[in-house]
Amino acid sequence: MNNKTIGEIIEREVRKQQIPITQFADMICCQRNNVYDIFRRSKIDILLLKRISEVLKRNFFKDLAEDLDLINESEEKAQEKEVSDVKELGE
């Protein structure tokens, strides 16, 4: 997922599956203009994401969790480096 917003990821998947926007709107029980709003979002309601995941048969929650793991790994590595740097300064 990296630097993509959740809306961009959903939009990419809708287009990949070649689902017309009006049909996708019907599938998630909203209006067409709301779909474009979803595509611009960086945040999304959990129940809406669940519905979208079911409709597109893609687990966006898993994608987000995997992305979070990458963030946590990067933070852990940065913290380890800081601790290492502090230890070197003390020696």
Side-chain angles (χ1 to χ4, degrees):
M1 284 180 44
N2 298 328
N3 294 324
K4 300 283 184 193
T5 66
I6 188 63
E8 292 169 332
I9 295 162
I10 292 168
E11 179 178 13
R12 182 184 300 156
E13 186 65 24
V14 169
R15 297 194 187 284
K16 177 180 157 192
Q17 294 186 26
Q18 299 180 332
I19 301 171
I21 300 302
T22 51
Q23 181 182 345
F24 179 64
D26 290 341
M27 294 166 81
I28 63 170
C29 304
C30 75
Q31 299 294 318
R32 185 177 65 81
N33 60 331
N34 290 344
V35 170
Y36 291 109
D37 178 59
I38 291 168
F39 291 166
R40 289 189 298 273
R41 292 182 188 178
S42 60
K43 299 175 185 176
I44 193 165
D45 178 77
I46 291 172
L47 294 176
L48 178 56
L49 186 60
K50 179 179 183 276
R51 189 176 334 136
I52 292 169
S53 292
E54 292 168 347
V55 164
L56 296 177
K57 295 177 176 54
R58 177 174 169 179
N59 187 346
F60 291 100
F61 293 98
K62 182 180 176 198
D63 295 343
L64 291 170
E66 288 172 355
D67 195 44
L68 184 60
D69 287 344
L70 291 175
I71 292 168
N72 288 338
E73 287 176 17
S74 297
E75 289 174 358
E76 288 173 9
K77 287 179 183 176
Q79 289 175 350
E80 288 173 6
K81 183 174 179 357
E82 287 176 13
V83 168
S84 175
D85 290 348
V86 169
K87 286 181 179 177
E88 287 178 9
L89 289 174
E91 293 177 354

